[in-house]
Amino acid sequence: MMIPDYALIAEIMLYAEGFDTARSLAQKMVQLFRLSSEQLSKQDHYDFGMRAVKSILVCAGALKRDEPNLPEDILLIRAMKDSNVPKFLKNDVILFENMIQDLFPGKVVGAQNMGPLQRAIELQLTKKKYQVIPSQVTKILQVQATMQVRHGVMLVGRPGTGKTVAHKVLAESLSKLSEAGYENEYFVKVVPHILNPKSIRMEELYGDVHELTKDWHDGLIANMARTAVKDTSQNHWIVFDGPVDSLWIENMNTVLDDNRMLCLTNGERIKLPTSVRLCFEVLDLAVASPATVSRCGMVYFEEENVDMVWKPILKSWIDFKHAREHTNLIEKFANKAIEPSLQFIRKECEELVPSLDSNLVQSFLALLEGLFKPDYGVDFETGLYYPPEKPVEEKEEDGELGDEELEQEAEIDEDEEEEEQEAKKTIQDVVKYDQQRISAMFDRIDEWNFDVFTLNELCHGHSLLVTGYTLFVKYDLLAKYNVPEKVMIEFLKEIEYGYHDNPYHNSLHACDVMQVLHVIINRGGLRGFIKSHSEVFGALVAAIIHDFDHPGLNNPFQINSSSYLALLYNDRSVLENHHVAHTFDLMRQKKYNILAGMDDDLRKSVRELIIGMVLATDMNNHAKYVAKFKMRLDNDADFSSDDDLRLALQIGIKMADVSNPTRPLFIYLRWTEKILEEFFAQGDMEKKMNIPVSPLMDRKHSKVKEGQMAFIKYVILPMFELWKQLCPRMGFSMEYIKLNQRYWETHEAIDPRDFKEQPIDVAMPTKEMA
């Protein structure tokens, strides 16, 4: 039997790759392989043969071309690490590193900067609600490095170690980088084809000839290969997710060779292009032949690689259940319960069916979740966690209460109950005539095409009152923050009454913005980032009051006319400051103070949230908020911090405030007519006052069609596309935007002359009114 001279072959190939010190480097590399085969543990997926040597030499040549100024021994060390470390067990990695230090004394190879790929991987993990664990990110990068030198890659490891996540996240990350326009030969869109080879017969896998008709029928692999051959503009990954055995894997040897030839039993040969990769997700390679093992690059996923295994699972469970406020408490309990239990099971127990720590922890959390009930402070139906209310302890002073004191308390309780019933009667009076139809309307309150115009007619103009009360009850906010129903209803009544009878900026618009924000929080995906009910409370209040006491004349009018409000707020977000200040001035009265039941810290936090969200609706600052939001997305922020969450809520209310072009056409056009009516009324007043007419408000020269198309293109689309990056579930709104754009492109615009001049009777705020 002939044994190849590894040192000579390596020397020739290194010279061919441009290495000047090829002879000494080849000898050291061969020595390292000899020591590795002798001293490292014996594993089925280890291979130190000629194909392994060649993969290192190819990798070293690529590094030489990329970084020609680096020392050649450093390049070879990096190539040997990139090609071998991914397949080693943890203990073997330490021994391998020591061997390299002995052969290359004093040589230190720094960590390689993976740049945009690593950031893209971390972003995809975050979006998929996984924990970003450094060891797992490293494994995914190792899969990519192995695919660069081998077109066949095997991901070896027990279930639950992250093999599936690794190849899926890597494929999506490369696709995202390709879409972003990064110029790199490896950043190409990936199309995965996944199958379980053991779930079907061999004939269905490779193809066969029909016994009677003698017709050839392609199998799954042949079909996937033909698809990949036809489309070389993007990479195709054929992923075999199932055990490897000699019945089917040996037929893949010709494909795994350098000639990439798929040989079918009908005599046909299909040569796969370089854009195709074969990926095998397996438990082990106990029955695979050495010929198969040597043809593939190996990446071993060890259970210890996921950093104590169960802690990331616990952290994801906490995040998914939105219990981040109590992370420390839950983790403290878990450390006492989970780790000792796992140690006891591994040391003292015998299992009929072997289990993984990750399986046991997931089952434990599922049982724990089943025991949680809203009575104990956890409401998994709404997905939010809140502290259980403590029962009120009866205080006794100097013995039991006397008869007179008991009678006084009973009278007080009866008075409070009567007031609550009277407040509820307000809602009942509004809905009593069309209660069935209103109830049917609210069954669709989570829908993007919710029609507030119809609801307002059914509620006889009290849509803000009824919808606000319904949503606060739906989220159970009254009970959680000790808001008496009477106070909530009186607050909503006063706010609704405080909205002027403007064509657009009225209580119906506030109701619409609140309902749309509710959809963005739930169906749109924002709820996945919200930490507690207090943020939902503040967001709904901000939507309710965001145009409170709006005079129907915008900020430029206030500034140009030197109105009292403009002087009061120094021309800075004039109306927005007024809406907030007027609301909190109202809440100084006890009967309207819906924040009275909160402690000081929570009240301050909710107040800041409301102020920030309402001020964000100032269109003069639109570009600033969108730019800040884009910067956080570009920096791969996970929006888990308080500042990022508040920014997301601010963008959310901005989207709700200008959402008309993203809604069904019949809703969009109706709102368009109303805002044009208000705009033109302001333009008429500006002309009579001899002050500059605001843009889009001159009824004689306004171009409605062009204005709406520009508003969609430069305001709506950029903001909603950014939001889709944070919450992909919001993508449904983009379809409505496209349809509405098409409407303006194919239809004549609304004629401004249809809006006749209205008598100017607008309430101008004075110092006394403010």
Side-chain angles (χ1 to χ4, degrees):
M1 179 177 178
M2 297 180 61
I3 300 176
D5 188 341
Y6 284 22
L8 182 59
I9 294 173
E11 179 183 348
I12 294 172
M13 287 195 66
L14 286 174
Y15 274 129
E17 296 288 357
F19 283 77
D20 295 329
T21 57
R23 176 166 297 181
S24 63
L25 292 177
Q27 292 174 350
K28 290 182 178 181
M29 186 188 72
V30 172
Q31 182 69 4
L32 177 66
F33 264 57
R34 186 183 64 79
L35 292 173
S36 298
S37 62
E38 293 174 354
Q39 299 187 25
L40 299 185
S41 63
K42 304 301 179 183
Q43 303 293 330
D44 294 325
H45 63 277
Y46 283 6
D47 172 55
F48 301 103
M50 191 64 241
R51 289 190 175 93
V53 171
K54 183 185 176 184
S55 68
I56 292 177
L57 299 175
V58 171
C59 182
L63 292 173
K64 178 70 173 178
R65 288 186 291 275
D66 291 341
E67 302 178 84
N69 297 325
L70 277 181
E72 293 181 345
D73 49 0
I74 297 296
L75 293 174
L76 183 62
I77 293 173
R78 181 177 292 176
M80 291 189 295
K81 284 187 173 183
D82 290 347
S83 299
N84 288 284
V85 169
K87 66 185 177 186
F88 289 152
L89 276 65
K90 182 175 63 176
N91 293 333
D92 287 340
V93 171
I94 300 173
L95 186 56
F96 184 75
E97 295 275 4
N98 291 335
M99 293 178 187
I100 290 178
Q101 287 297 320
D102 292 340
L103 292 171
F104 300 88
K107 301 296 181 181
V108 178
V109 179
Q112 195 170 0
N113 180 17
M114 301 306 293
L117 178 57
Q118 182 170 342
R119 292 194 298 271
I121 290 171
E122 292 172 353
L123 179 61
Q124 290 301 317
L125 288 170
T126 302
K127 286 185 176 181
K128 291 178 175 295
K129 308 299 183 184
Y130 294 121
Q131 299 302 309
V132 180
I133 307 170
S135 60
Q136 192 71 357
V137 173
T138 300
K139 275 295 168 187
I140 298 174
L141 292 172
Q142 289 176 352
V143 174
Q144 169 63 5
T146 305
M147 283 187 171
Q148 291 178 7
V149 295
R150 296 286 190 100
H151 66 277
V153 178
M154 288 195 174
L155 311 183
V156 186
R158 300 179 70 187
T161 52
K163 302 189 298 295
T164 301
V165 172
H167 71 74
K168 286 186 176 180
V169 168
L170 178 59
E172 293 182 9
S173 300
L174 294 174
S175 298
K176 291 295 183 183
L177 290 173
S178 174
E179 293 174 4
Y182 282 89
E183 294 183 1
N184 188 304
E185 60 177 315
Y186 301 113
F187 295 168
V188 181
K189 184 178 180 181
V190 176
V191 180
H193 308 272
I194 303 175
L195 74 155
N196 182 353
K198 294 297 290 181
S199 65
I200 54 179
R201 297 180 294 109
M202 283 282 290
E203 293 80 4
E204 296 171 321
L205 188 63
Y206 288 102
D208 68 335
V209 177
H210 195 277
E211 293 183 358
L212 297 178
T213 63
K214 304 303 180 182
D215 291 334
W216 169 258
H217 297 281
D218 279 339
L220 286 179
I221 294 179
N223 271 327
M224 292 177 180
R226 296 186 196 280
T227 301
V229 169
K230 292 178 182 177
D231 178 20
T232 58
S233 62
Q234 48 193 359
N235 286 344
H236 291 260
W237 292 2
I238 302 177
V239 182
F240 298 88
D241 187 358
V244 167
D245 62 29
S246 57
L247 294 178
W248 69 272
I249 191 63
E250 296 301 326
N251 293 332
M252 299 291 294
N253 285 346
T254 57
V255 187
L256 296 172
D257 276 335
D258 289 343
N259 58 17
R260 303 169 179 261
M261 195 70 69
L262 175 63
C263 298
L264 304 177
T265 53
N266 66 341
E268 184 180 3
R269 298 192 300 173
I270 303 174
K271 183 174 179 60
L272 299 184
T274 56
S275 58
V276 177
R277 293 289 185 274
L278 304 177
C279 183
F280 303 86
E281 189 179 337
V282 300
L283 172 65
D284 56 45
L285 296 172
V287 297
S289 67
T292 301
V293 173
S294 66
R295 285 174 164 84
C296 294
M298 301 289 169
V299 181
Y300 184 70
F301 289 76
E302 202 165 2
E303 196 168 7
E304 287 76 5
N305 279 336
V306 291
D307 292 349
M308 293 197 68
V309 182
W310 61 269
K311 286 193 174 182
I313 297 174
L314 177 65
K315 184 66 169 61
S316 293
W317 183 80
I318 292 172
D319 290 344
F320 181 73
K321 298 304 174 186
H322 304 280
R324 297 178 209 165
E325 293 177 337
H326 303 272
T327 299
N328 294 334
L329 179 63
I330 296 175
E331 287 184 345
K332 184 178 179 181
F333 162 72
N335 288 329
K336 290 183 178 180
I338 296 179
E339 189 64 27
S341 300
L342 291 175
Q343 292 178 1
F344 177 80
I345 292 172
R346 298 306 173 211
K347 292 180 180 179
E348 306 294 336
C349 301
E350 293 184 4
E351 296 178 305
L352 295 177
V353 178
S355 65
L356 293 172
D357 289 352
S358 57
N359 297 135
L360 296 178
V361 172
Q362 286 176 327
S363 299
F364 166 73
L365 294 176
L367 291 172
L368 186 65
E369 181 179 330
L371 295 174
F372 281 155
K373 299 178 181 179
D375 296 341
Y376 303 150
V378 181
D379 187 355
F380 282 124
E381 291 184 1
T382 60
L384 293 173
Y385 186 97
Y386 55 93
E389 297 181 1
K390 296 181 180 179
V392 179
E393 298 180 359
E394 296 182 0
K395 296 182 179 179
E396 297 185 4
E397 297 180 1
D398 300 328
E400 297 181 353
L401 295 174
D403 293 340
E404 292 183 1
E405 294 172 318
L406 289 173
E407 289 178 2
Q408 291 176 358
E409 287 192 357
E411 291 176 359
I412 293 173
D413 291 341
E414 288 177 1
D415 292 340
E416 291 180 350
E417 186 175 350
E418 289 178 1
E419 291 177 354
E420 294 288 347
Q421 293 300 325
E422 187 66 26
K424 287 184 179 179
K425 191 172 182 297
T426 303
I427 302 292
Q428 293 168 358
D429 289 341
V430 171
V431 304
K432 65 181 179 181
Y433 296 108
D434 294 288
Q435 188 169 356
Q436 186 174 358
R437 293 175 64 190
I438 292 174
S439 177
M441 286 286 296
F442 280 119
D443 289 340
R444 304 193 301 274
I445 198 169
D446 296 331
E447 296 179 5
W448 193 248
N449 59 355
F450 186 82
D451 185 4
V452 292
F453 295 101
T454 300
L455 176 67
N456 200 48
E457 294 174 2
L458 297 176
C459 295
H460 306 286
H462 295 288
S463 58
L464 180 60
L465 167 63
V466 178
T467 306
Y469 178 83
T470 301
L471 287 179
F472 270 78
V473 171
K474 181 181 179 71
Y475 285 102
D476 199 21
L477 298 174
L478 303 183
K480 288 179 172 60
Y481 297 105
N482 302 317
V483 183
E485 286 191 335
K486 175 180 172 59
V487 174
M488 188 73 238
I489 292 173
E490 290 298 324
F491 172 79
L492 290 171
K493 284 169 60 180
E494 191 65 21
I495 293 295
E496 189 175 65
Y497 178 78
Y499 274 94
H500 298 196
D501 191 21
N502 302 317
Y504 183 83
H505 290 101
N506 50 37
S507 62
L508 181 59
H509 170 64
C511 174
D512 187 54
V513 171
M514 175 175 54
Q515 188 271 333
V516 172
L517 182 60
H518 160 71
V519 177
I520 291 173
I521 289 174
N522 287 273
R523 186 179 171 190
L526 181 55
R527 193 167 190 167
F529 302 90
I530 290 178
K531 301 176 183 178
S532 78
H533 272 100
S534 63
E535 283 127 3
V536 179
F537 187 107
L540 292 180
V541 173
I544 291 170
I545 63 105
H546 84 281
D547 278 328
F548 180 49
D549 197 36
H550 196 295
L553 302 165
N554 64 11
N555 282 336
F557 180 93
Q558 305 295 329
I559 296 169
N560 292 334
S561 64
S562 298
S563 70
Y564 172 74
L565 292 179
L567 298 176
L568 181 64
Y569 298 111
N570 301 310
D571 297 346
R572 298 290 188 271
S573 299
V574 176
L575 292 178
E576 289 73 22
N577 276 301
H578 176 63
H579 304 323
V580 178
H582 199 18
T583 299
F584 283 105
D585 183 64
L586 180 69
M587 282 197 284
R588 292 169 63 188
Q589 302 179 53
K590 183 178 179 181
K591 64 178 180 178
Y592 303 127
N593 191 358
I594 59 176
L595 305 183
M598 302 178 180
D599 59 55
D600 291 339
D601 291 338
L602 182 58
R603 188 185 306 114
K604 180 180 178 182
S605 175
V606 172
R607 171 178 156 83
E608 290 175 353
L609 176 62
I610 294 171
I611 294 173
M613 291 183 67
V614 175
L615 292 181
T617 60
D618 183 0
M619 289 303 294
N620 288 333
N621 297 325
H622 175 80
K624 180 181 73 174
Y625 281 95
V626 173
K628 184 177 180 181
F629 187 55
K630 183 178 186 301
M631 181 185 70
R632 297 303 295 143
L633 290 173
D634 291 343
N635 291 336
D636 299 337
D638 59 3
F639 285 82
S640 60
S641 69
D642 291 342
D643 290 340
D644 284 344
L645 175 57
R646 292 198 173 188
L647 176 61
L649 287 168
Q650 289 164 359
I651 296 295
I653 196 172
K654 285 178 65 63
M655 292 166 57
D657 194 27
V658 297
S659 63
N660 302 332
T662 71
R663 313 282 294 286
L665 185 62
F666 75 96
I667 296 177
Y668 171 35
L669 291 182
R670 196 161 179 183
W671 281 121
T672 301
E673 292 176 358
K674 290 184 174 296
I675 198 168
L676 287 176
E677 182 181 351
E678 187 171 306
F679 278 4
F680 295 150
Q682 175 176 319
D684 296 338
M685 176 173 282
E686 288 170 330
K687 289 179 181 179
K688 293 185 178 182
M689 295 178 65
N690 292 321
I691 60 177
V693 178
S694 301
L696 306 177
M697 299 188 183
D698 188 342
R699 69 173 66 246
K700 294 182 179 179
H701 302 97
S702 179
K703 297 182 179 179
V704 178
K705 176 179 178 179
E706 291 77 6
Q708 289 296 313
M709 293 181 67
F711 184 73
I712 293 174
K713 181 177 180 180
Y714 297 110
V715 176
I716 298 299
L717 268 176
M719 183 164 57
F720 276 74
E721 285 175 346
L722 287 174
W723 187 266
K724 188 180 176 183
Q725 295 181 30
L726 178 67
C727 301
R729 290 166 54 186
M730 196 66 189
F732 58 85
S733 62
M734 304 302 293
E735 297 300 321
Y736 285 115
I737 296 175
K738 294 177 183 178
L739 291 173
N740 292 333
Q741 278 184 311
R742 196 174 305 138
Y743 169 84
W744 289 114
E745 292 170 357
T746 57
H747 288 72
E748 292 297 327
I750 299 173
D751 190 347
R753 291 173 294 182
D754 292 342
F755 297 88
K756 299 179 181 178
E757 292 194 34
Q758 303 294 328
I760 299 172
D761 183 19
V762 183
M764 290 290 294
T766 63
K767 182 175 181 180
E768 290 72 25
M769 290 175 62

